[in-house]
mmCIF file of all heavy atoms in Angstrom:
data_model
loop_
_atom_site.group_PDB
_atom_site.id
_atom_site.type_symbol
_atom_site.label_atom_id
_atom_site.label_comp_id
_atom_site.label_asym_id
_atom_site.label_seq_id
_atom_site.Cartn_x
_atom_site.Cartn_y
_atom_site.Cartn_z
ATOM 1 N N ARG W 7 2.772 6.332 -2.087
ATOM 2 C CA ARG W 7 2.279 5.056 -2.551
ATOM 3 C C ARG W 7 3.429 4.341 -3.257
ATOM 4 O O ARG W 7 4.167 4.969 -3.996
ATOM 5 C CB ARG W 7 1.130 5.238 -3.493
ATOM 6 C CG ARG W 7 0.541 3.972 -4.013
ATOM 7 C CD ARG W 7 -0.651 4.225 -4.870
ATOM 8 N NE ARG W 7 -1.223 2.936 -5.302
ATOM 9 C CZ ARG W 7 -2.232 2.841 -6.102
ATOM 10 N NH1 ARG W 7 -2.822 3.907 -6.609
ATOM 11 N NH2 ARG W 7 -2.687 1.656 -6.446
ATOM 12 N N ALA W 8 3.580 3.044 -2.999
ATOM 13 C CA ALA W 8 4.603 2.251 -3.662
ATOM 14 C C ALA W 8 3.922 1.321 -4.669
ATOM 15 O O ALA W 8 2.869 0.759 -4.403
ATOM 16 C CB ALA W 8 5.370 1.455 -2.625
ATOM 17 N N LEU W 9 4.577 1.173 -5.814
ATOM 18 C CA LEU W 9 4.104 0.261 -6.840
ATOM 19 C C LEU W 9 5.314 -0.621 -7.247
ATOM 20 O O LEU W 9 6.421 -0.181 -7.237
ATOM 21 C CB LEU W 9 3.642 1.033 -8.074
ATOM 22 C CG LEU W 9 2.536 2.066 -7.835
ATOM 23 C CD1 LEU W 9 2.358 2.882 -9.102
ATOM 24 C CD2 LEU W 9 1.234 1.366 -7.504
ATOM 25 N N SER W 10 5.011 -1.835 -7.677
ATOM 26 C CA SER W 10 6.023 -2.721 -8.201
ATOM 27 C C SER W 10 5.552 -3.315 -9.529
ATOM 28 O O SER W 10 4.402 -3.680 -9.657
ATOM 29 C CB SER W 10 6.300 -3.836 -7.197
ATOM 30 O OG SER W 10 7.319 -4.684 -7.693
ATOM 31 N N ARG W 11 6.475 -3.356 -10.436
ATOM 32 C CA ARG W 11 6.166 -3.908 -11.764
ATOM 33 C C ARG W 11 7.381 -4.695 -12.199
ATOM 34 O O ARG W 11 8.472 -4.125 -12.342
ATOM 35 C CB ARG W 11 5.829 -2.787 -12.708
ATOM 36 C CG ARG W 11 5.403 -3.306 -14.047
ATOM 37 C CD ARG W 11 4.898 -2.155 -14.881
ATOM 38 N NE ARG W 11 4.488 -2.649 -16.179
ATOM 39 C CZ ARG W 11 4.001 -1.919 -17.145
ATOM 40 N NH1 ARG W 11 3.850 -0.632 -16.950
ATOM 41 N NH2 ARG W 11 3.689 -2.452 -18.280
ATOM 42 N N ASP W 12 7.184 -5.999 -12.393
ATOM 43 C CA ASP W 12 8.328 -6.849 -12.832
ATOM 44 C C ASP W 12 9.515 -6.723 -11.916
ATOM 45 O O ASP W 12 10.651 -6.720 -12.354
ATOM 46 C CB ASP W 12 8.743 -6.529 -14.277
ATOM 47 C CG ASP W 12 7.662 -6.896 -15.235
ATOM 48 O OD1 ASP W 12 6.876 -7.794 -14.997
ATOM 49 O OD2 ASP W 12 7.601 -6.208 -16.298
ATOM 50 N N GLY W 13 9.290 -6.580 -10.629
ATOM 51 C CA GLY W 13 10.370 -6.460 -9.685
ATOM 52 C C GLY W 13 11.019 -5.088 -9.632
ATOM 53 O O GLY W 13 12.007 -4.873 -8.942
ATOM 54 N N ILE W 14 10.502 -4.126 -10.363
ATOM 55 C CA ILE W 14 10.995 -2.774 -10.373
ATOM 56 C C ILE W 14 10.043 -1.945 -9.514
ATOM 57 O O ILE W 14 8.837 -1.941 -9.732
ATOM 58 C CB ILE W 14 11.106 -2.191 -11.816
ATOM 59 C CG1 ILE W 14 12.097 -3.036 -12.605
ATOM 60 C CG2 ILE W 14 11.493 -0.715 -11.792
ATOM 61 C CD1 ILE W 14 12.093 -2.786 -14.070
ATOM 62 N N ASP W 15 10.616 -1.226 -8.518
ATOM 63 C CA ASP W 15 9.789 -0.446 -7.630
ATOM 64 C C ASP W 15 9.682 0.982 -8.088
ATOM 65 O O ASP W 15 10.643 1.594 -8.593
ATOM 66 C CB ASP W 15 10.425 -0.485 -6.247
ATOM 67 C CG ASP W 15 10.416 -1.868 -5.639
ATOM 68 O OD1 ASP W 15 9.492 -2.659 -5.943
ATOM 69 O OD2 ASP W 15 11.350 -2.166 -4.888
ATOM 70 N N TYR W 16 8.474 1.533 -7.882
ATOM 71 C CA TYR W 16 8.160 2.919 -8.177
ATOM 72 C C TYR W 16 7.526 3.513 -6.945
ATOM 73 O O TYR W 16 6.886 2.828 -6.156
ATOM 74 C CB TYR W 16 7.167 3.001 -9.352
ATOM 75 C CG TYR W 16 7.668 2.531 -10.657
ATOM 76 C CD1 TYR W 16 7.504 1.206 -11.043
ATOM 77 C CD2 TYR W 16 8.329 3.384 -11.524
ATOM 78 C CE1 TYR W 16 7.974 0.750 -12.274
ATOM 79 C CE2 TYR W 16 8.804 2.947 -12.739
ATOM 80 C CZ TYR W 16 8.613 1.629 -13.135
ATOM 81 O OH TYR W 16 9.073 1.199 -14.319
ATOM 82 N N SER W 17 7.671 4.805 -6.811
ATOM 83 C CA SER W 17 6.992 5.500 -5.708
ATOM 84 C C SER W 17 6.271 6.722 -6.259
ATOM 85 O O SER W 17 6.674 7.330 -7.250
ATOM 86 C CB SER W 17 7.948 5.917 -4.599
ATOM 87 O OG SER W 17 8.868 6.856 -5.118
ATOM 88 N N ILE W 18 5.143 7.057 -5.598
ATOM 89 C CA ILE W 18 4.373 8.251 -5.914
ATOM 90 C C ILE W 18 4.205 9.032 -4.625
ATOM 91 O O ILE W 18 3.833 8.405 -3.602
ATOM 92 C CB ILE W 18 2.986 7.884 -6.498
ATOM 93 C CG1 ILE W 18 3.117 7.156 -7.821
ATOM 94 C CG2 ILE W 18 2.111 9.149 -6.635
ATOM 95 C CD1 ILE W 18 1.803 6.607 -8.373
ATOM 96 N N SER W 19 4.477 10.292 -4.645
ATOM 97 C CA SER W 19 4.280 11.156 -3.494
ATOM 98 C C SER W 19 3.311 12.243 -3.865
ATOM 99 O O SER W 19 3.485 12.909 -4.904
ATOM 100 C CB SER W 19 5.614 11.779 -3.036
ATOM 101 O OG SER W 19 6.524 10.772 -2.633
ATOM 102 N N VAL W 20 2.294 12.438 -3.052
ATOM 103 C CA VAL W 20 1.252 13.418 -3.323
ATOM 104 C C VAL W 20 1.356 14.579 -2.331
ATOM 105 O O VAL W 20 1.518 14.352 -1.136
ATOM 106 C CB VAL W 20 -0.173 12.798 -3.228
ATOM 107 C CG1 VAL W 20 -1.251 13.795 -3.577
ATOM 108 C CG2 VAL W 20 -0.258 11.585 -4.176
ATOM 109 N N TYR W 21 1.219 15.765 -2.845
ATOM 110 C CA TYR W 21 1.260 16.993 -2.015
ATOM 111 C C TYR W 21 0.069 17.856 -2.332
ATOM 112 O O TYR W 21 -0.569 17.696 -3.375
ATOM 113 C CB TYR W 21 2.562 17.784 -2.353
ATOM 114 C CG TYR W 21 3.822 17.023 -2.055
ATOM 115 C CD1 TYR W 21 4.354 16.126 -2.978
ATOM 116 C CD2 TYR W 21 4.428 17.183 -0.828
ATOM 117 C CE1 TYR W 21 5.515 15.419 -2.679
ATOM 118 C CE2 TYR W 21 5.602 16.463 -0.514
ATOM 119 C CZ TYR W 21 6.110 15.594 -1.453
ATOM 120 O OH TYR W 21 7.255 14.903 -1.179
ATOM 121 N N ARG W 22 -0.213 18.769 -1.425
ATOM 122 C CA ARG W 22 -1.322 19.698 -1.616
ATOM 123 C C ARG W 22 -0.827 21.124 -1.374
ATOM 124 O O ARG W 22 -0.055 21.359 -0.458
ATOM 125 C CB ARG W 22 -2.477 19.411 -0.660
ATOM 126 C CG ARG W 22 -3.676 20.317 -0.925
ATOM 127 C CD ARG W 22 -4.823 19.932 -0.087
ATOM 128 N NE ARG W 22 -5.963 20.719 -0.549
ATOM 129 C CZ ARG W 22 -7.175 20.461 -0.282
ATOM 130 N NH1 ARG W 22 -7.508 19.426 0.441
ATOM 131 N NH2 ARG W 22 -8.158 21.217 -0.763
ATOM 132 N N ARG W 23 -1.267 21.998 -2.230
ATOM 133 C CA ARG W 23 -1.017 23.450 -2.063
ATOM 134 C C ARG W 23 -2.262 24.156 -2.527
ATOM 135 O O ARG W 23 -3.223 23.531 -2.954
ATOM 136 C CB ARG W 23 0.239 23.917 -2.769
ATOM 137 C CG ARG W 23 0.191 23.794 -4.269
ATOM 138 C CD ARG W 23 1.445 24.323 -4.923
ATOM 139 N NE ARG W 23 1.492 23.922 -6.312
ATOM 140 C CZ ARG W 23 2.575 23.741 -6.958
ATOM 141 N NH1 ARG W 23 3.750 23.949 -6.432
ATOM 142 N NH2 ARG W 23 2.551 23.361 -8.228
ATOM 143 N N LEU W 24 -2.253 25.441 -2.431
ATOM 144 C CA LEU W 24 -3.446 26.236 -2.728
ATOM 145 C C LEU W 24 -4.084 25.892 -4.054
ATOM 146 O O LEU W 24 -5.315 25.799 -4.179
ATOM 147 C CB LEU W 24 -3.117 27.730 -2.700
ATOM 148 C CG LEU W 24 -4.292 28.694 -2.781
ATOM 149 C CD1 LEU W 24 -5.280 28.412 -1.657
ATOM 150 C CD2 LEU W 24 -3.801 30.105 -2.766
ATOM 151 N N GLY W 25 -3.301 25.576 -5.108
ATOM 152 C CA GLY W 25 -3.861 25.259 -6.418
ATOM 153 C C GLY W 25 -4.444 23.883 -6.571
ATOM 154 O O GLY W 25 -4.965 23.537 -7.619
ATOM 155 N N GLY W 26 -4.333 23.045 -5.550
ATOM 156 C CA GLY W 26 -4.850 21.679 -5.622
ATOM 157 C C GLY W 26 -3.786 20.678 -5.280
ATOM 158 O O GLY W 26 -2.781 20.981 -4.619
ATOM 159 N N PHE W 27 -4.007 19.449 -5.691
ATOM 160 C CA PHE W 27 -3.089 18.340 -5.428
ATOM 161 C C PHE W 27 -2.128 18.151 -6.608
ATOM 162 O O PHE W 27 -2.526 18.319 -7.777
ATOM 163 C CB PHE W 27 -3.891 17.048 -5.247
ATOM 164 C CG PHE W 27 -4.717 17.015 -4.041
ATOM 165 C CD1 PHE W 27 -6.008 17.522 -4.055
ATOM 166 C CD2 PHE W 27 -4.241 16.501 -2.843
ATOM 167 C CE1 PHE W 27 -6.822 17.507 -2.926
ATOM 168 C CE2 PHE W 27 -5.020 16.486 -1.698
ATOM 169 C CZ PHE W 27 -6.311 16.987 -1.745
ATOM 170 N N PHE W 28 -0.902 17.817 -6.328
ATOM 171 C CA PHE W 28 0.034 17.454 -7.366
ATOM 172 C C PHE W 28 0.845 16.278 -6.866
ATOM 173 O O PHE W 28 0.970 16.071 -5.655
ATOM 174 C CB PHE W 28 0.880 18.634 -7.827
ATOM 175 C CG PHE W 28 1.800 19.151 -6.780
ATOM 176 C CD1 PHE W 28 3.146 18.843 -6.815
ATOM 177 C CD2 PHE W 28 1.320 20.014 -5.793
ATOM 178 C CE1 PHE W 28 4.011 19.367 -5.820
ATOM 179 C CE2 PHE W 28 2.178 20.557 -4.818
ATOM 180 C CZ PHE W 28 3.502 20.212 -4.824
ATOM 181 N N ALA W 29 1.467 15.500 -7.781
ATOM 182 C CA ALA W 29 2.174 14.318 -7.385
ATOM 183 C C ALA W 29 3.434 14.174 -8.218
ATOM 184 O O ALA W 29 3.515 14.630 -9.348
ATOM 185 C CB ALA W 29 1.286 13.080 -7.559
ATOM 186 N N PHE W 30 4.433 13.514 -7.627
ATOM 187 C CA PHE W 30 5.709 13.165 -8.285
ATOM 188 C C PHE W 30 5.810 11.652 -8.287
ATOM 189 O O PHE W 30 5.262 10.970 -7.436
ATOM 190 C CB PHE W 30 6.905 13.678 -7.465
ATOM 191 C CG PHE W 30 7.041 15.137 -7.407
ATOM 192 C CD1 PHE W 30 6.391 15.862 -6.378
ATOM 193 C CD2 PHE W 30 7.809 15.857 -8.295
ATOM 194 C CE1 PHE W 30 6.540 17.217 -6.278
ATOM 195 C CE2 PHE W 30 7.951 17.203 -8.201
ATOM 196 C CZ PHE W 30 7.298 17.903 -7.193
ATOM 197 N N TRP W 31 6.523 11.087 -9.261
ATOM 198 C CA TRP W 31 6.778 9.665 -9.264
ATOM 199 C C TRP W 31 8.296 9.462 -9.415
ATOM 200 O O TRP W 31 9.013 10.335 -9.865
ATOM 201 C CB TRP W 31 6.025 8.933 -10.379
ATOM 202 C CG TRP W 31 6.441 9.345 -11.770
ATOM 203 C CD1 TRP W 31 5.966 10.382 -12.504
ATOM 204 C CD2 TRP W 31 7.451 8.738 -12.586
ATOM 205 N NE1 TRP W 31 6.599 10.455 -13.720
ATOM 206 C CE2 TRP W 31 7.505 9.432 -13.785
ATOM 207 C CE3 TRP W 31 8.288 7.673 -12.403
ATOM 208 C CZ2 TRP W 31 8.387 9.087 -14.792
ATOM 209 C CZ3 TRP W 31 9.167 7.302 -13.399
ATOM 210 C CH2 TRP W 31 9.199 8.031 -14.620
ATOM 211 N N GLU W 32 8.765 8.276 -9.044
ATOM 212 C CA GLU W 32 10.170 7.922 -9.160
ATOM 213 C C GLU W 32 10.319 6.461 -9.444
ATOM 214 O O GLU W 32 9.637 5.617 -8.843
ATOM 215 C CB GLU W 32 10.880 8.252 -7.849
ATOM 216 C CG GLU W 32 12.355 7.948 -7.919
ATOM 217 C CD GLU W 32 13.089 8.308 -6.623
ATOM 218 O OE1 GLU W 32 12.459 8.664 -5.628
ATOM 219 O OE2 GLU W 32 14.334 8.231 -6.626
ATOM 220 N N CYS W 33 11.215 6.146 -10.383
ATOM 221 C CA CYS W 33 11.610 4.778 -10.677
ATOM 222 C C CYS W 33 12.826 4.474 -9.846
ATOM 223 O O CYS W 33 13.843 5.124 -9.977
ATOM 224 C CB CYS W 33 11.905 4.584 -12.164
ATOM 225 S SG CYS W 33 12.584 2.924 -12.558
ATOM 226 N N LYS W 34 12.725 3.456 -8.953
ATOM 227 C CA LYS W 34 13.828 3.173 -8.045
ATOM 228 C C LYS W 34 14.985 2.482 -8.715
ATOM 229 O O LYS W 34 16.120 2.527 -8.235
ATOM 230 C CB LYS W 34 13.326 2.293 -6.884
ATOM 231 C CG LYS W 34 12.247 2.937 -6.062
ATOM 232 C CD LYS W 34 12.724 4.186 -5.375
ATOM 233 C CE LYS W 34 11.644 4.788 -4.496
ATOM 234 N NZ LYS W 34 12.116 5.909 -3.711
ATOM 235 N N GLN W 35 14.749 1.823 -9.899
ATOM 236 C CA GLN W 35 15.843 1.148 -10.558
ATOM 237 C C GLN W 35 16.736 2.125 -11.315
ATOM 238 O O GLN W 35 17.965 2.030 -11.240
ATOM 239 C CB GLN W 35 15.315 0.116 -11.574
ATOM 240 C CG GLN W 35 16.445 -0.589 -12.300
ATOM 241 C CD GLN W 35 15.997 -1.771 -13.092
ATOM 242 O OE1 GLN W 35 15.107 -2.507 -12.654
ATOM 243 N NE2 GLN W 35 16.560 -1.986 -14.240
ATOM 244 N N CYS W 36 16.193 3.049 -12.013
ATOM 245 C CA CYS W 36 17.015 3.947 -12.814
ATOM 246 C C CYS W 36 17.002 5.390 -12.259
ATOM 247 O O CYS W 36 17.503 6.291 -12.963
ATOM 248 C CB CYS W 36 16.628 3.921 -14.293
ATOM 249 S SG CYS W 36 14.937 4.326 -14.627
ATOM 250 N N ALA W 37 16.477 5.568 -11.090
ATOM 251 C CA ALA W 37 16.466 6.883 -10.417
ATOM 252 C C ALA W 37 15.880 7.978 -11.279
ATOM 253 O O ALA W 37 16.284 9.106 -11.241
ATOM 254 C CB ALA W 37 17.870 7.252 -9.907
ATOM 255 N N ASN W 38 14.877 7.620 -12.096
ATOM 256 C CA ASN W 38 14.206 8.574 -12.938
ATOM 257 C C ASN W 38 13.076 9.219 -12.144
ATOM 258 O O ASN W 38 12.150 8.527 -11.726
ATOM 259 C CB ASN W 38 13.657 7.912 -14.209
ATOM 260 C CG ASN W 38 13.045 8.917 -15.149
ATOM 261 O OD1 ASN W 38 12.902 10.095 -14.864
ATOM 262 N ND2 ASN W 38 12.662 8.430 -16.327
ATOM 263 N N GLN W 39 13.150 10.520 -11.949
ATOM 264 C CA GLN W 39 12.066 11.219 -11.261
ATOM 265 C C GLN W 39 11.236 11.947 -12.323
ATOM 266 O O GLN W 39 11.761 12.781 -13.046
ATOM 267 C CB GLN W 39 12.626 12.214 -10.276
ATOM 268 C CG GLN W 39 13.327 11.511 -9.106
ATOM 269 C CD GLN W 39 13.776 12.488 -8.061
ATOM 270 O OE1 GLN W 39 13.806 13.683 -8.284
ATOM 271 N NE2 GLN W 39 14.117 11.973 -6.907
ATOM 272 N N GLY W 40 9.966 11.621 -12.364
ATOM 273 C CA GLY W 40 9.084 12.271 -13.323
ATOM 274 C C GLY W 40 8.708 13.676 -12.878
ATOM 275 O O GLY W 40 8.839 14.044 -11.708
ATOM 276 N N SER W 41 8.309 14.455 -13.817
ATOM 277 C CA SER W 41 7.831 15.813 -13.522
ATOM 278 C C SER W 41 6.584 15.750 -12.673
ATOM 279 O O SER W 41 5.793 14.807 -12.770
ATOM 280 C CB SER W 41 7.502 16.544 -14.826
ATOM 281 O OG SER W 41 8.601 16.597 -15.657
#
């Protein structure tokens, strides 16, 4: 999923494994990848 806020783009990627769903996010402007 892509999100934009004040012209700054973010992405969220969702994955599934045995324990359930988990997701990562990333700020495209400062290349910050969240846990």
Side-chain angles (χ1 to χ4, degrees):
R7 181 175 183 184
L9 304 170
S10 180
R11 185 171 179 182
D12 295 330
I14 298 168
D15 296 328
Y16 295 92
S17 63
I18 296 173
S19 298
V20 181
Y21 299 85
R22 184 176 188 162
R23 64 178 167 209
L24 188 58
F27 293 88
F28 64 101
F30 294 88
W31 65 272
E32 181 179 8
C33 174
K34 300 296 183 175
Q35 179 170 322
C36 58
N38 185 353
Q39 294 184 346
S41 301

